[in-house]
Amino acid sequence: MDTKPLLYTGIIIPIVFWFSTIICGFVHGNYNHISNTISELGAIGTKSETLMETFTMLTTVLSVFFMAGLFIACNQLQLNILPVFGVIGFPIMFGWAAIFHSGNPLHSASGPVFLLLYVGALLAVILWRGEEFRQIRKLSLLSLCIMLLIFIRFIPSATIQNNYTGLIQRFAHLGWSVWFMSLGSCLIKLLKTKNNIN
């Protein structure tokens, strides 16, 4: 089975996500990417609610295909599959946000699931040993460090809390974007190398 089309979704998902935030920001009409959270684009009653729901559901579906590709690729490359379980947090979180929009009391209930992505990236750094996996370990570490920047939000500063909430949240999204694109591209390259050797 050709796993590459499934792995390419790891590159497509971040593109769809960031494109959707830009387009929905325009549709929303009163949105600041620095100070407003991404959930506000899909908030109940906003002009961008339906469009953001559609994009969010699309990224959820694509992430399921991506996970399938990751599990298959790990099997083919004889990689430990534990880091891939971290990706499971993504479709859960995004699927939840697509169903329970901002303004719904259940919207924030899936928040802790995002931590699975942190764990997955960390496990990739620890468990995927060998010289051929050096690049993917480095990129996983980079993505983890970027995701950790979201904890800036806990600095007790009114300026940060009131003016940069959206920017800080986007660090976490940039982190998983780097990880998804890294996983997709690196595993595709590793599979190509393996197939050429065989």
Side-chain angles (χ1 to χ4, degrees):
M1 178 182 179
D2 189 1
T3 316
K4 290 195 290 293
L6 294 173
L7 293 174
Y8 274 118
T9 58
I11 299 169
I12 295 168
I13 291 166
I15 294 171
V16 171
F17 170 77
W18 292 104
F19 176 78
S20 71
T21 62
I22 294 168
I23 295 301
C24 290
F26 281 118
V27 173
H28 187 282
N30 185 27
Y31 187 82
N32 186 313
H33 291 274
I34 303 298
S35 58
N36 296 121
T37 64
I38 290 167
S39 291
E40 292 174 60
L41 292 171
I44 296 171
T46 58
K47 294 177 184 177
S48 55
E49 179 184 4
T50 303
L51 184 59
M52 193 62 184
E53 176 188 356
T54 303
F55 276 122
T56 304
M57 192 54 74
L58 174 60
T59 56
T60 302
V61 172
L62 288 172
S63 67
V64 173
F65 288 112
F66 183 46
M67 280 194 312
L70 290 174
F71 279 112
I72 295 169
C74 284
N75 182 56
Q76 292 172 334
L77 294 167
Q78 297 182 323
L79 275 172
N80 191 311
I81 63 168
L82 283 178
V84 178
F85 283 101
V87 180
I88 292 174
F90 187 89
I92 293 173
M93 183 181 66
F94 270 63
W96 188 274
I99 297 168
F100 302 106
H101 302 183
S102 180
N104 185 305
L106 294 174
H107 175 74
S108 60
S110 68
V113 175
F114 192 79
L115 294 174
L116 287 174
L117 289 165
Y118 290 75
V119 174
L122 178 61
L123 287 176
V125 174
I126 296 170
L127 297 177
W128 289 351
R129 312 310 299 173
E131 187 60 32
E132 66 271 35
F133 304 116
R134 186 175 182 181
Q135 183 182 21
I136 200 167
R137 286 199 309 274
K138 284 183 176 180
L139 291 170
S140 296
L141 180 59
L142 172 63
S143 69
L144 176 62
C145 290
I146 296 171
M147 284 191 284
L148 287 171
L149 290 174
I150 197 171
F151 290 102
I152 292 172
R153 72 196 314 179
F154 295 112
I155 296 174
S157 165
T159 302
I160 290 175
Q161 298 298 328
N162 297 330
N163 300 316
Y164 301 106
T165 305
L167 177 63
I168 294 168
Q169 184 194 46
R170 279 162 175 76
F171 285 133
H173 289 290
L174 177 61
W176 68 253
S177 296
V178 169
W179 196 41
F180 279 27
M181 296 181 93
S182 302
L183 287 174
S185 58
C186 288
L187 290 177
I188 287 169
K189 187 163 69 172
L190 288 166
L191 286 172
K192 282 180 181 178
T193 302
K194 182 175 185 262
N195 290 335
N196 290 336
I197 292 173
N198 294 337

